[in-house]
Amino acid sequence: MPDGMPSGALDVTDVGKADALAFGMLSGAPILAAGHADDVITAWDLTTRRRITTIDGLGVVNDLAVTVDGRIAVAGDDGVTMTQIGD
C-alpha cells in the first residue's frame, strides 16, 4: 500500500457485485471505479476511503477505464459512454 494511505476496507455494503474495476488518478488522488451487476458505477477516493460518486442509468457495464481528465469510459452492450466523475 502506498505511503500515506489509510488501511481498511471500502464500505461497499450498499452496492452490487462488481463486474468491472478501473484504477486511476483524480486531482492527484488515487481512485477506484467499479461497475456493478445492477448497472451502477461507483467511484472511491482511495486516500480517504470515501465514495466520490454513484452513477446509474448507463446500462450494462462490461469494462471501465479512468481517463486522465477525470472521466470514466464505460464499455457496455450499447457501445462506449464517457461520464464525468464527481462535480
Side-chain angles (χ1 to χ4, degrees):
M1 183 175 317
D3 290 339
M5 288 188 64
S7 61
L10 300 172
D11 180 9
V12 296
T13 56
D14 64 335
V15 295
K17 175 180 137 318
D19 293 322
L21 297 172
F23 294 93
M25 299 293 286
L26 179 64
S27 301
I31 64 165
L32 168 68
H36 303 281
D38 56 0
D39 301 342
V40 171
I41 297 168
T42 53
W44 287 271
D45 179 320
L46 295 178
T47 302
T48 63
R49 304 281 193 219
R50 295 180 191 255
R51 188 177 309 187
I52 299 167
T53 192
T54 301
I55 304 164
D56 60 6
L58 297 178
V60 174
V61 178
N62 296 322
D63 204 359
L64 294 172
V66 177
T67 66
V68 296
D69 62 349
R71 295 185 295 164
I72 298 175
V74 182
D77 290 348
D78 296 327
V80 176
T81 302
M82 300 293 287
T83 188
Q84 188 67 37
I85 301 171
D87 297 332

